[in-house]
């Protein structure tokens, strides 16, 4: 090798962008280039003649002599000729990742090892940025997927509700048109008969038919009210308006509205003496609840039988009972009684749509109360509603 070649090689060694360190078989550094000095923050003088393990992280530093000795004994390389990622340690104690490739050269004066060191700090930073980005993308995807799922579930629910409402409407329409036929034919026939009663003394007959017309219109109104209540309930449009009201007034209003539905000789007997006179509730809803229960009591019990309305009060709860001495409810029908359109088998010959109790149950729930009943077939039925008597604190 000419002198020129030697200088060229030295320059190459010195100016290489990767760190280059040579050491002897005992791990003592002989040559270090500029890049290696910069990597570790030492001057070349500080490194030459020192053991290379001063540039290693604690673990490798304490085991390096062992590694070297094992390799020289077994010739099984772990780094030599392979290269791997290790942790370097700077003069100021900072540690950093680097890729180390070591080659071995046997020279006349002994074996030397050459290590080429490539700083991986930048690479690690970039990798971490990519990893972070991936993670945040992943969590965004998860987030968005969850949001989409929730939205889909919401839409499904809305769709289901819409379908149910549609079904309810069409079912109700067919039922209502059926329900309308009888009262409408009553109205028609009574009107025709009134037309025939032209004499002055036929006034009582006219009156009878006028009453029948009023009854029939009352029935039609009931069916329509049911329909309106249900669709309002379905759409969540009914919000109770709580006010302090006189229980007696609500009960009286309900009885007055139900009078047209009483059968001949039926009488409603009221005893509210066990209850407090005032209740905080929605009077309109409570009245509709009572009208429904009274209408059932009247419909499903014989003429001339009494209907009892009783009130009692216990521990912040007002109980109202509507008792009849009617046909009762067969055991097997009881579980379904509050279902929409459900009618007991012994009620088949009595007019009804099977909506009243469903509405009652929903209204009672809106008022934070509960409804229950006891019944004996052929003897009678008692419906009880329990309502909070005062506003919740
Ligand atoms: P409507 O929608 O006009 O009220 P309905 O009276 O048939 O029709 P609900 O009030 O919901 O419907 O009552 C459901 C069923 O429960 C009735 O068809 C009847 O079989 C039974 N039922 C309700 N109240 C009584 C009662 N007091 N005695 C006996 N059976 C009753
Ligand atoms: Mg009813």
């Amino acid at each position: 090798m000419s002198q020129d070649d030697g200088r060229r090689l030295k320059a190459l060694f010195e100016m290489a962008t990767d760190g280059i360190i040579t050491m002897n078989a005992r791990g003592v550094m002989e040559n270090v280039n500029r890049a290696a000095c910069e990597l570790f923050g030492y001057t070349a003088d500080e490194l030459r003649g020192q053991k290379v393990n001063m540039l290693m992280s604690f673990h490798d530093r304490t085991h390096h002599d062992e590694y070297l000795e094992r390799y020289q004994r077994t010739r099984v390389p772990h780094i030599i000729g392979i290269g791997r990622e290790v942790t370097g340690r700077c003069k100021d104690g900072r540690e950093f990742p680097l890729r180390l490739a070591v080659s071995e050269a046997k020279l006349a004066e002994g074996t030397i090892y050459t290590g080429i060191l490539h700083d991986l700090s930048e690479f690690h930073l970039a990798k971490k940025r990519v990893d972070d980005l991936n993670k945040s993308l992943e969590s965004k995807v998860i987030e968005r997927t969850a949001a989409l799922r929730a939205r889909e579930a919401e839409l499904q629910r809305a769709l289901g509700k819409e379908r149910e409402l549609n079904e309810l409407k069409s079912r109700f329409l067919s039922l209502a048109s059926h329900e309308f036929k009888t009262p409408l034919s009553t109205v028609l026939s009574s009107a025709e008969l009134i037309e025939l009663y032209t004499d002055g003394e036929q006034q009582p007959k006219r009156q009878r038919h006028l009453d029948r017309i009023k009854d029939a219109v009352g029935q039609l109104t009931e069916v329509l009210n049911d329909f309106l209540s249900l669709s309002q309930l379905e759409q969540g449009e009914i919000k109770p308006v709580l006010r302090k009201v006189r229980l007696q007034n609500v009960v009286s209003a309900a009885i007055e509205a139900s009078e047209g539905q009483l059968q001949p000789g039926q009488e409603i007997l009221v005893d509210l003496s066990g209850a407090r006179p005032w209740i905080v509730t929605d009077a309109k809803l409570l009245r509709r609840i009572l009208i429904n229960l009274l209408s059932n009591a009247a419909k499903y019990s014989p003429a001339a039988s009494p209907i009892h309305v009783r009130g009692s009060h216990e521990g912040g709860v007002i109980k109202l009972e509507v008792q009849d001495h009617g046909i009762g409810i067969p055991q097997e029908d009881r579980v379904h009684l509050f279902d929409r359109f459900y009618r007991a088998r012994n009620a088949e010959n009595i007019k009804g749509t099977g909506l009243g109790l469903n509405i009652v149950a929903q209204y009672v729930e809106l008022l934070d109360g509960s409804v229950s009943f006891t019944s004996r077939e052929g003897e009678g039925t008692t419906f009880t509603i329990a309502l909070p008597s005062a506003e919740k604190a």
Side-chain angles (χ1 to χ4, degrees), residues 330-346:
Q331 188 69 44
E332 64 267 32
D333 292 309
R334 292 182 190 173
V335 282
H336 302 293
L337 216 64
F338 292 99
D339 294 355
R340 229 173 246 170
F341 299 111
Y342 192 85
R343 308 201 66 223
R345 67 195 55 203
N346 63 345

Side-chain angles (χ1 to χ4, degrees), residues 92-123:
D92 63 12
R94 191 174 54 82
E95 300 198 339
F96 66 99
L98 60 92
R99 179 153 192 88
L100 172 64
V102 180
S103 55
E104 184 182 21
K106 288 201 164 56
L107 305 175
E109 59 267 34
T111 303
I112 66 161
Y113 298 94
T114 307
I116 296 185
L117 304 95
H118 183 76
D119 186 1
L120 292 178
S121 306
E122 287 288 320
F123 173 73

Side-chain angles (χ1 to χ4, degrees), residues 292 295-296 299-300 356:
N292 267 302
S295 128
N296 285 349
K299 263 201 298 194
Y300 302 116

